[in-house]
Amino acid sequence: MDQSNAPQSGQALLFLTDEQLRKGIEAMFFAYRGFTADPDRILSEKSYGRAHHRAIHFIHRSPGTTVNNLLSILGVTKQSLNRVLRTLVEDGLVESNVGATDKRERNLYLTEEGAALERELSDAQRDRMRAAYRAAGPAAVTGFRQVLEAMMDDDMRRQFDALRDTRGRS
Amino acid sequence: MDQSNAPQSGQALLFLTDEQLRKGIEAMFFAYRGFTADPDRILSEKSYGRAHHRAIHFIHRSPGTTVNNLLSILGVTKQSLNRVLRTLVEDGLVESNVGATDKRERNLYLTEEGAALERELSDAQRDRMRAAYRAAGPAAVTGFRQVLEAMMDDDMRRQFDALRDTRGRS
DNA sequence: TTGGAATGTCAACAAGGCTGACGTATCTTC
DNA sequence: GAAGATACGTCAGCCTTGTTGACATTCCAA
């Protein structure tokens, strides 16, 4: 009863057993653990958590971004984000400047120290990603990206696609 | 300086820019959100969390598994798991039986009610997975799985590979 | 100019990780 | 049979990171 794989719009038919799908689900579970393992290790030494990593990543990605913007990318409440942001500002990793045109807004930037941590974290994560990409090969990478994109919610995919590189080239 | 892509063991060389790798990292982040979104919705209505889902999933996957075994798969402490397991047993979703050969062990099974919730959760998750697989196509699925496996830690990959289907075929 | 919307902050609570310590059966080994 | 190891449960307390509620500030439009 789970095998109703009706063909769609002339596309090649894919027969997907529950077992295949479950294997995919479990692969996602275990892989995500690996994906976060290296940054987690670095962060725990500095008594930060994954939430700090995410904030740092996206501030690096889009310097000058506002709290609100970060909020919609991260998908958490502003109170949750604020706690993380506060510690990062207190510790001198993030700079929070009152907006020039709209004083309600805060524009967020990494300090030198923040940028250094960002580099350490993303180096570790990229190393693993690079190793995985190389082990799997270029065709696999394309497929990997396609499946991941198809797995996102529509609004997440929009966020994802909207993330252009706004940093100056180093 | 980040472009040092020395070839390895005669393998085809893969040029991976930091930008490509970061896109992969972000894809992983957003996709995992989508991956957990549907079960999370269902669980929050029943005041359970992701931790309950994981326990239920792997008990379903390996009926009769022991607490210790579950512990090593999930990678959490027994105190953490115990809290979750206790509520599931209290609520009548999981049965915990003293081991037959080794009475120190507890063999874990889903009750009818537990199996019903498992079905609801995994149906939702499989639907999304199936849609993503179909949208991306069979070649992409293969690549997806290859990259995910390459991203795991060695011991996780062993856990992952060891997960055979021990349930009776339905 | 004033009321509503947007932005961000403070406070308090809950879930679910963690460590540490301990109790109790139940093997296993000497 | 005694001693130690193993499997499991539990209590206590901590931390991170989610949540909601209340509130101050700022902007904008009627």
Side-chain angles (χ1 to χ4, degrees):
Chain A
M1 70 184 275
D2 284 297
Q3 319 262 15
S4 63
N5 284 298
Q8 298 175 328
S9 64
Q11 266 253 315
L13 182 58
L14 257 193
F15 290 104
L16 297 165
T17 66
D18 281 7
E19 175 67 11
Q20 283 175 298
L21 293 167
R22 192 175 45 180
K23 262 309 203 192
I25 288 168
E26 286 170 356
M28 198 68 186
F29 170 70
F30 287 113
Y32 198 77
R33 281 240 300 262
F35 172 69
T36 56
D38 304 321
D40 282 355
R41 236 187 314 277
I42 295 169
L43 289 158
S44 74
E45 283 167 18
K46 305 184 158 58
S47 62
Y48 288 132
R50 233 174 256 182
H52 300 86
H53 183 191
R54 292 196 282 262
I56 287 173
H57 175 97
F58 286 107
I59 292 173
H60 169 75
R61 171 64 132 167
S62 309
T65 187
T66 64
V67 173
N68 230 6
N69 184 28
L70 211 48
L71 237 42
S72 65
I73 290 175
L74 297 177
V76 297
T77 58
K78 61 181 176 171
Q79 294 88 332
S80 212
L81 175 59
N82 184 257
R83 187 177 342 144
V84 168
L85 238 34
R86 187 171 46 216
T87 71
L88 290 175
V89 170
E90 279 169 5
D91 294 355
L93 303 188
V94 167
E95 218 180 280
S96 169
N97 300 334
V98 172
T101 64
D102 188 334
K103 287 179 186 163
R104 293 171 302 181
E105 295 182 339
R106 300 288 180 276
N107 294 119
L108 304 170
Y109 300 90
L110 293 184
T111 64
E112 246 325 297
E113 201 185 336
L117 177 55
E118 193 283 330
R119 231 170 290 129
E120 190 181 351
L121 292 168
S122 67
D123 279 352
Q125 203 159 35
R126 267 199 305 267
D127 283 351
R128 184 182 289 255
M129 202 54 123
R130 182 161 25 228
Y133 274 14
R134 287 214 180 131
V141 170
T142 305
F144 170 71
R145 287 284 304 273
Q146 284 172 335
V147 173
L148 287 189
E149 278 209 51
M151 207 167 356
M152 298 177 196
D153 279 341
D154 286 346
D155 47 340
M156 289 180 212
R157 187 165 30 251
R158 245 176 287 120
Q159 302 265 22
F160 175 73
D161 289 335
L163 279 173
R164 295 265 62 85
D165 194 355
T166 55
R167 290 168 317 117
R169 297 302 180 163
S170 50
Chain B
M1 70 185 274
D2 285 297
Q3 319 262 14
S4 64
N5 285 297
Q8 299 176 329
S9 64
Q11 266 252 312
L13 183 57
L14 256 193
F15 290 103
L16 297 166
T17 65
D18 281 6
E19 175 68 10
Q20 282 176 299
L21 293 166
R22 191 174 46 180
K23 262 309 204 192
I25 288 168
E26 287 170 355
M28 199 67 185
F29 170 70
F30 287 113
Y32 198 77
R33 282 242 299 265
F35 173 68
T36 55
D38 304 321
D40 281 355
R41 237 188 313 276
I42 296 169
L43 288 158
S44 72
E45 284 168 16
K46 306 184 157 55
S47 62
Y48 288 133
R50 235 175 254 182
H52 300 86
H53 183 189
R54 292 196 281 262
I56 288 174
H57 175 96
F58 286 108
I59 293 173
H60 169 76
R61 170 64 130 164
S62 309
T65 187
T66 65
V67 173
N68 237 356
N69 185 27
L70 210 49
L71 238 42
S72 66
I73 291 174
L74 297 177
V76 296
T77 60
K78 63 174 179 174
Q79 294 91 328
S80 231
L81 175 59
N82 186 258
R83 193 182 336 166
V84 167
L85 234 36
R86 190 169 43 212
T87 72
L88 290 175
V89 170
E90 278 170 4
D91 294 355
L93 302 189
V94 167
E95 218 179 280
S96 169
N97 299 333
V98 171
T101 65
D102 189 335
K103 288 178 184 164
R104 292 171 304 179
E105 297 183 338
R106 300 288 180 272
N107 296 119
L108 303 170
Y109 300 91
L110 293 185
T111 63
E112 248 323 299
E113 202 184 337
L117 177 56
E118 193 284 329
R119 230 169 291 128
E120 191 181 350
L121 291 168
S122 66
D123 278 353
Q125 204 159 33
R126 268 199 304 268
D127 282 352
R128 183 182 291 253
M129 204 51 125
R130 182 160 27 227
Y133 274 14
R134 287 214 181 130
V141 170
T142 303
F144 169 71
R145 286 283 304 274
Q146 284 173 334
V147 174
L148 287 190
E149 278 208 51
M151 208 170 346
M152 298 178 197
D153 279 342
D154 286 345
D155 47 340
M156 288 182 213
R157 186 164 31 252
R158 246 177 287 119
Q159 302 265 23
F160 174 72
D161 289 334
L163 279 174
R164 295 264 62 83
D165 194 354
T166 56
R167 292 169 314 120
R169 299 300 182 163
S170 50

